[in-house]
Amino acid sequence: MDVIKTATTPFPDQKPGTSGLRKQVTVFQQAHYLENFVQSIFDTQRLAGGTLVIGGDGRFYNRQAIQVILRLAAANGVAKCLVGQGGILSTPAVSCVIRKYQTNGGIILSASHNPGGPQGDFGIKFNTDNGGPAPEKVTEAIYQRSLALAEYRTLDTEDVDLDTIECFNLGGMHVEIIDPVSDYAELMAEQFDFAAIRELLSGDFRMAFDAMHAVTGPYARRIIEEQLGAPAGTVLNGIPLEDFGGGHPDPNLAHAAELVAMTQGDDALDFAAASDGDGDRNMILGRNIFVTPSDSLAVLAANADAFPPWRNGIPGIARSMPTSQAADRVAEKLDIPCFETPTGWKFFGNLLDAGRIAFCGEESFGTGSSHVREKDGLWAVLAWLNLLAARRRPVADIVHAHWETFGRNYYSRHDYEGVDAASAETLMTTLRARLGELSGSTISGRSIRLADDFSYTDPIDGSVSAHQGIRILFEDGARIVFRLSGTGTVGATLRVYLESLETDPARQREDTQETLADLIRLADEIAAIRQHTGREQPDVIT
Ligand code: VG1
Ligand code: CO
């Protein structure tokens, strides 16, 4: 089979964001667009002669993209590709397979929680041989290459069959279509006490898991229903659809409202959970309680002894900067370090590789451990089931007891979506210019301890990532953080993160938005949000 060199011109817009290259499907459908990005990966990474894992969340264009990537991989001398059956592999499953078979990396096709379908979004992400998202120096090299590319290498072949578990040869490259679930399911069984969870689920405990018509359906059915014995029908929306049934596969209070309703009222479930498009996010609900992702990380870390790999404790925790400081309070009590990293899972990679941390998380519904190098939605769900099986107490009891011991960090994120990009930039630059003046000042009776633009120095390799979000830190432990999203595809999204600490147990049951009302008002006073965005209210509150 002949390798074809196709002349092309670079696309100037292939700079990866927080989590890979994410664009509208129509952008990816332009001639040569995907090919250029993929060739830029092959030109900058040593993959010739190596093995690559390929899979995605099943959204529209997933199958076409995999065909394109397989042809380019073969033409660029890749020796072997492991591909999920039907083109399906969740993000944490890709990480698991890369690590288990010690491959040279993987390519994930997903736009995560963004809507799918012909008018929706698509995305591509390269993971390195540790199983994690490529660090900034790698994504930057790929981007620079994409700006200079003049040709790509491919094959002139028919599409291959992605649906049958088998091995075949494609232009000298060995292709293996693998069961997307089995390696991952095996890993989960090592992380948790499956016998205890099985016993919990065989009693009167009632739960639901919403796969949101996205990638986790097959994983949840196999693990939660078949292996752990939950009744058939426990997994809702369990068949991956190309358009996710028209919904946002985003597990949060706004987009999983039906599931939330199932945990309220007289007939409320004991436990409910959901995951996102590519299976790396999670939402945890108990009867009449939503566990914020920041609290979830803190609670799991405080109860690490319930999990078989961590019976003897954990070395450390990490959280992304905007994530609440609930985990810091746990780390302090356990006398272990808590690292504060920029937004995006790639920043946890070095700490996990070095064994400095066991658990890490983000406020954006991301939780995980050192078992893979991605956040892992089902892992978090199984962790909570394991915890409930070990403690035999309702979710709300566990969380309330946690707050009594460690204090409660009230937390909320306000998103202003699809804002004019220039106006959003102006808001940020105006704020940045005022940091010196804000630091140490008092505003509406509240003292600001420090106002800065977060910069991170990786403790392992010393690399520096600057301009990771503006922090306004108050003397009383409250915080407001401002940053612009790096995953959107239309205009800009301004994220405002609000947090305040309450250590008095008598006052810990109050409403989050009410408790944060003063900070919400201050955020507008400090950054002139309404003026710059032209919006009176955020679009999404989580
Ligand atoms: C968002 C979240 C961030 C997360 C990223 C990828 O990024 O805030 O915490 O790591 O999405 O999540 P941003 O730049 O839009 O704030 V997912 O499930 O893509 O992979
Ligand atoms: Co995701």
Side-chain angles (χ1 to χ4, degrees):
M1 216 171 288
D2 290 339
V3 170
I4 304 167
K5 292 185 178 175
T6 308
T8 180
T9 47
F11 292 88
D13 66 340
Q14 298 194 324
K15 189 177 174 67
T18 313
S19 189
L21 180 67
R22 211 169 275 185
K23 299 281 175 194
Q24 288 170 303
V25 166
T26 48
V27 173
F28 271 100
Q29 284 172 325
Q30 296 171 84
H32 311 309
Y33 191 86
L34 178 64
E35 288 85 344
N36 277 22
F37 189 76
V38 174
Q39 185 63 51
S40 302
I41 297 176
F42 289 125
D43 284 353
T44 52
Q45 310 304 309
R46 288 212 195 95
L47 298 167
T51 301
L52 205 54
V53 182
I54 304 175
D57 64 12
R59 68 177 60 223
F60 182 80
Y61 209 56
N62 191 45
R63 285 171 175 272
Q64 293 93 317
I66 291 176
Q67 300 287 352
V68 167
I69 296 166
L70 284 173
R71 289 190 191 99
L72 265 86
N76 281 278
V78 172
K80 183 176 173 181
C81 279
L82 303 174
V83 186
Q85 185 182 23
I88 293 282
L89 275 174
S90 75
T91 289
V94 169
S95 190
C96 160
V97 173
I98 292 173
R99 295 169 66 77
K100 180 170 177 180
Y101 299 103
Q102 300 184 340
T103 75
N104 304 77
I107 292 179
I108 303 174
L109 292 321
S110 172
S112 189
H113 53 287
N114 296 21
Q119 304 308 319
D121 290 342
F122 193 73
I124 176 168
K125 193 170 83 155
F126 176 67
N127 281 30
T128 50
D129 62 2
N130 73 342
E136 276 186 333
K137 60 175 190 302
V138 172
T139 55
E140 185 58 24
I142 295 170
Y143 170 55
Q144 290 304 329
R145 179 62 192 152
S146 79
L147 294 175
L149 201 76
E151 63 173 33
Y152 61 84
R153 300 158 67 85
T154 187
L155 301 180
D156 182 17
T157 58
E158 296 289 304
D159 281 358
V160 299
D161 175 11
L162 299 175
D163 296 299
T164 314
I165 299 212
E166 60 178 0
C167 298
F168 54 85
N169 180 297
L170 178 71
M173 180 176 78
H174 184 76
V175 180
E176 208 174 311
I177 306 292
I178 61 168
D179 174 350
V181 181
S182 54
D183 295 308
Y184 178 82
E186 205 175 278
L187 180 63
M188 289 303 107
E190 291 164 12
Q191 302 299 311
F192 302 112
D193 186 345
F194 269 31
I197 301 176
R198 226 175 270 132
E199 207 189 304
L200 175 78
L201 295 177
S202 70
D204 51 14
F205 182 88
R206 289 165 61 235
M207 70 164 285
F209 174 83
D210 190 348
M212 305 188 90
H213 291 301
V215 80
T216 47
Y219 296 85
R221 279 188 168 169
R222 178 95 57 91
I223 298 170
I224 298 175
E225 293 186 2
E226 290 174 31
Q227 299 183 342
L228 295 171
T234 297
V235 177
L236 309 171
N237 304 316
I239 298 172
L241 299 177
E242 287 204 330
D243 66 348
F244 308 121
H248 260 265
D250 192 354
N252 62 33
L253 296 178
H255 297 300
E258 278 172 36
L259 190 72
V260 176
M262 291 169 74
T263 60
Q264 295 166 346
D266 291 343
D267 194 32
L269 298 175
D270 298 296
F271 180 73
S275 188
D276 72 330
D278 60 330
D280 57 359
R281 295 187 177 207
N282 74 90
M283 176 168 70
I284 302 295
L285 300 156
R287 178 176 296 199
N288 292 316
I289 188 167
F290 157 62
V291 186
T292 70
S294 299
D295 277 345
S296 178
L297 172 66
V299 170
L300 294 181
N303 289 283
D305 63 312
F307 309 116
W310 310 110
R311 293 254 189 264
N312 299 321
I314 51 175
I317 315 172
R319 61 163 174 87
S320 69
M321 182 274 281
T323 303
S324 100
Q325 298 163 98
D328 305 43
R329 305 181 69 77
V330 173
E332 204 178 301
K333 277 240 162 92
L334 297 178
D335 198 23
I336 55 174
C338 183
F339 298 88
E340 183 177 37
T341 59
T343 295
W345 211 261
K346 56 178 172 265
F347 294 103
F348 295 133
N350 281 346
L351 292 167
L352 290 164
D353 285 351
R356 301 278 286 271
I357 58 171
F359 292 176
C360 44
E362 295 191 277
E363 51 66 40
S364 54
F365 298 78
T367 325
S369 87
S370 52
H371 68 289
V372 288
R373 294 293 178 272
E374 287 278 7
K375 56 184 181 266
D376 188 341
L378 266 178
W379 177 90
V381 175
L382 295 170
W384 269 91
L385 286 174
N386 190 143
L387 182 57
L388 295 172
R391 303 288 187 253
R392 293 286 171 162
R393 298 171 71 188
V395 175
D397 275 19
I398 292 176
V399 174
H400 293 156
H402 184 92
W403 293 341
E404 277 186 31
T405 309
F406 297 96
R408 176 175 181 184
N409 292 74
Y410 283 92
Y411 187 84
S412 184
R413 185 176 99 182
H414 289 197
D415 292 333
Y416 298 79
E417 297 180 340
V419 173
D420 173 63
S423 309
E425 276 302 334
T426 308
L427 182 152
M428 293 300 284
T429 44
T430 310
L431 194 52
R432 220 169 258 131
R434 289 185 51 217
L435 291 175
E437 161 201 335
L438 286 168
S439 239
S441 73
T442 298
I443 181 160
S444 294
R446 291 182 82 136
S447 321
I448 298 175
R449 180 170 65 79
L450 177 75
D452 73 354
D453 191 353
F454 183 61
S455 174
Y456 178 66
T457 303
D458 187 296
I460 311 298
D461 67 16
S463 60
V464 176
S465 303
H467 307 300
Q468 297 297 320
I470 290 172
R471 304 190 294 183
I472 312 288
L473 310 177
F474 295 89
E475 290 290 356
D476 61 2
R479 292 193 313 171
I480 306 175
V481 172
F482 300 88
R483 61 177 283 279
L484 298 183
S485 158
T487 57
T489 57
V490 183
T493 293
L494 169 70
R495 303 202 195 285
V496 183
Y497 309 80
L498 306 135
E499 175 183 3
S500 75
L501 174 67
E502 180 56 71
T503 50
D504 177 3
R507 300 181 53 186
Q508 287 175 351
R509 304 293 171 86
E510 287 156 15
D511 177 79
T512 299
Q513 299 303 319
E514 266 170 39
T515 307
L516 296 173
D518 188 40
L519 282 179
I520 293 169
R521 202 184 43 70
L522 270 182
D524 189 51
E525 188 176 333
I526 292 172
I529 300 170
R530 284 184 296 175
Q531 183 198 321
H532 287 292
T533 62
R535 306 281 171 82
E536 284 301 313
Q537 297 291 333
D539 299 275
V540 180
I541 296 180
T542 49

